[in-house]
Amino acid sequence: MPGHRAAVRPLFADRDPEDAAMPRPGFPAPPWLLSAADSTALRTVAADLLDTPASDLDLAYTLATRTPLAHRVLVPAGDRAALKAVANGETTGQTVPGCPRLTFLSRGTELPAGRETEFTHRFPRFAAIYTTMYDDYQDRLFAFQAALCQLLESWGIRPHAIARATECPGDDLVLDLSPASARDLLAEVARLHTAGIPVDWHAVFSGSGARRVELHGLLYRPEWLPVRAIPGEAEVLEIPTGSELHALTAHTLLALQEWRHREGRLVVVTTNATGPDPDLASAAVWGLVSAAAAEHPAEITAVDLDRPTPAAQVLDLVGGVAEPQLALRDGVPHAFRIARANASPARPIDPSGTVLITGGTGRIGALLAEHLVAAHGVRHLVLASRSGPAAATAEHLQAELDADVRIAAIDVADRDLVESLIASCSPPLTAVVHCAAEFDETAEGLDPVLRAKADSAWILHEATKHLPLSAFVLFSSVAGTFGVAGQANYAAANRFLDALATHRHAAGLPAVSIAWGPWDSTLFDAALGSEQPVVLAPGALSGPCAACHGSERFLV
């Protein structure tokens, strides 16, 4: 998030508000905080909330504690008309500016009678500080504003300055230290959040009695639907099975590059790239070809077979079908689609064991580590990365997380190093989250990208398949699901991860591959216990964000 980042405060963030000892009835619901990658996606988020049965407070808590995305808008809690205005595009929201400054503004010379009463009732921290300050100074306004400053700091909100009304810099964001009510204060905090000021919403809602609710429309699953057979003419490229991952993808990439110099459509035929226990190398080829199809719309189609089928028969069935991804199941053409998936309430990560995060000191790995400690109660983390303790995030993670954090500098594609690291875990390893990645779309980038994501995932699978893991989570990308122009290497590696999760699922081992758009902790929780081996968490499929562009055509 742009601007000042508050340190992790496990005192508040390691529990949901319903876990607080003394819930406070009548807690005012702050405005609903909607965020998405762009204004179009924001409309989808709002539309999916129109029919929610959740209470105003529960929905406010759920929305506020999601990882915020760049485009944000406030909707008064319970105001369906305002929510509909966002869904219709009448209210567009705003993109968060960079590095905002915040000034707390002190106004007035005395506090209106009774102003402190509601605040002491709603916020125990405020009450304790106000009582102490008033006893010491006998000044109600000073005690009120001092207590409010302390309360706001406990919510992760720290100003760059505190000023009188006559001294406030004109370009600063301003928070008035004399709000008329608790509801007004929460509305101001929400306004600051949409402007880029970080807020610890877990702390804000602590003791409110709010409960997390399921957000529909943000989680999806793959689906294959029958389509009409249409014969047609095309060049056929048949991909052999049983080949080594790097050799097969390199062979396919070379064949695609050669095809570009010829005219006509191309049908690339794989075998068991998308089946219930897929061939992993073929799956990687499928991802690579899907990216090529995105670069050459209506010119390239990937077709997966469930049994050997002559090329002429393939063309008789799908040669004229205008779909980028097709599969023949029992001789019937099926087109790739996605369907909405329900969030899973399961929390399979065992907090008593050790959780290994690969790519753990990177941006996503660090956010995930904070979330696992705060929301899942994990107390033993091993963060593996090539940078290790030299990473920019390492000192912060070890100092601020309320957990035993071990940071290891290793190449996760080195089998011996991985096996040694796993054996050294104490307490024993109970969950793996594979976030490690490489992004290189140059001609020489295929091997490094596959090594970072695919090779290392396979080594993690083989090194842990005998262990009683509670979770094995792979961070994939919607780039591999739909194919994104210019991302062939990345698509191949990510489709391998999806296939590996499916392979483990078929073997009765825990696994879920989450095909990401932007990171969102709520979607991580919703996908974590999924019974589906592959789930998509793009945030909102209608927006033209880079990873999701054009994917709305796959919705069913």
Side-chain angles (χ1 to χ4, degrees), residues 239-249 270-273 278-283 285:
I239 305 300
T241 58
S243 300
E244 189 270 337
L245 169 65
H246 289 253
L248 190 63
T249 50
T270 60
T271 301
N272 193 30
D279 178 82
L280 303 188
S282 295
V285 166

Side-chain angles (χ1 to χ4, degrees), residues 527-555:
L528 187 57
S530 174
E531 295 181 359
Q532 300 284 335
V534 179
V535 292
L536 288 74
L541 282 172
S542 296
C545 58
C548 305
H549 183 57
S551 54
E552 63 273 6
R553 72 181 185 275
F554 293 96
L555 275 170

Side-chain angles (χ1 to χ4, degrees), residues 194-476:
T194 63
I197 299 296
V199 178
D200 182 354
W201 285 104
H202 290 280
V204 175
F205 281 92
S206 181
S208 68
R211 295 180 179 274
R212 194 178 304 277
V213 296
E214 178 181 333
L215 294 180
H216 295 276
L218 299 178
L219 204 62
Y220 303 83
R221 57 181 173 80
E223 186 165 298
W224 292 93
L225 294 183
V227 294
R228 183 166 62 93
I230 304 175
E233 295 297 322
E235 179 181 342
V236 176
L237 172 62
E238 296 184 276
I239 305 300
T241 58
S243 300
E244 189 270 337
L245 169 65
H246 289 253
L248 190 63
T249 50
H251 163 77
T252 304
L253 184 58
L254 179 61
L256 289 170
Q257 291 168 342
E258 292 175 347
W259 166 83
R260 287 188 304 179
H261 301 294
R262 300 192 291 272
E263 294 183 357
R265 289 189 65 241
L266 178 68
V267 171
V268 183
V269 179
T270 60
T271 301
N272 193 30
T274 63
D277 189 0
D279 178 82
L280 303 188
S282 295
V285 166
W286 182 273
L288 190 153
V289 173
S290 297
E295 292 183 32
H296 301 275
E299 295 182 24
I300 297 178
T301 297
V303 180
D304 190 44
L305 308 179
D306 60 355
R307 66 188 68 173
T309 305
Q313 186 178 346
V314 171
L315 292 180
D316 285 343
L317 290 169
V318 300
V321 179
E323 292 277 351
Q325 300 184 37
L326 292 167
L328 291 179
R329 300 283 185 261
D330 296 324
V332 178
H334 287 67
F336 177 74
R337 296 290 186 268
I338 59 173
R340 298 194 188 278
N342 292 326
S344 170
R347 295 289 185 97
I349 289 183
D350 180 1
S352 66
T354 295
V355 177
L356 169 63
I357 302 176
T358 69
T361 60
R363 186 176 65 88
I364 296 300
L367 289 172
L368 175 64
E370 292 179 353
H371 178 66
L372 290 178
V373 171
H376 292 260
V378 171
R379 291 296 175 262
H380 303 279
L381 284 170
V382 174
L383 308 181
S385 68
R386 282 170 293 186
S387 301
T393 58
E395 184 177 352
H396 163 78
L397 290 168
Q398 289 188 309
E400 298 295 340
L401 293 185
D402 184 23
D404 174 25
V405 179
R406 176 184 168 198
I407 297 178
I410 73 163
D411 178 358
V412 189
D414 185 313
R415 186 181 301 272
D416 291 340
L417 291 178
V418 169
E419 290 176 349
S420 176
L421 181 66
I422 290 171
S424 70
C425 289
S426 180
L429 187 69
T430 55
V432 172
V433 186
H434 181 41
C435 298
E438 179 84 17
F439 192 87
D440 184 347
E441 292 301 329
T442 65
E444 300 77 24
L446 182 58
D447 279 343
V449 171
L450 289 174
R451 178 179 173 84
K453 289 188 77 77
D455 294 350
S456 54
W458 180 252
I459 288 170
L460 289 166
H461 158 67
E462 291 203 308
T464 62
K465 62 185 180 182
H466 64 288
L467 299 176
L469 297 184
S470 62
F472 188 93
V473 184
L474 301 166
F475 272 36
S476 177

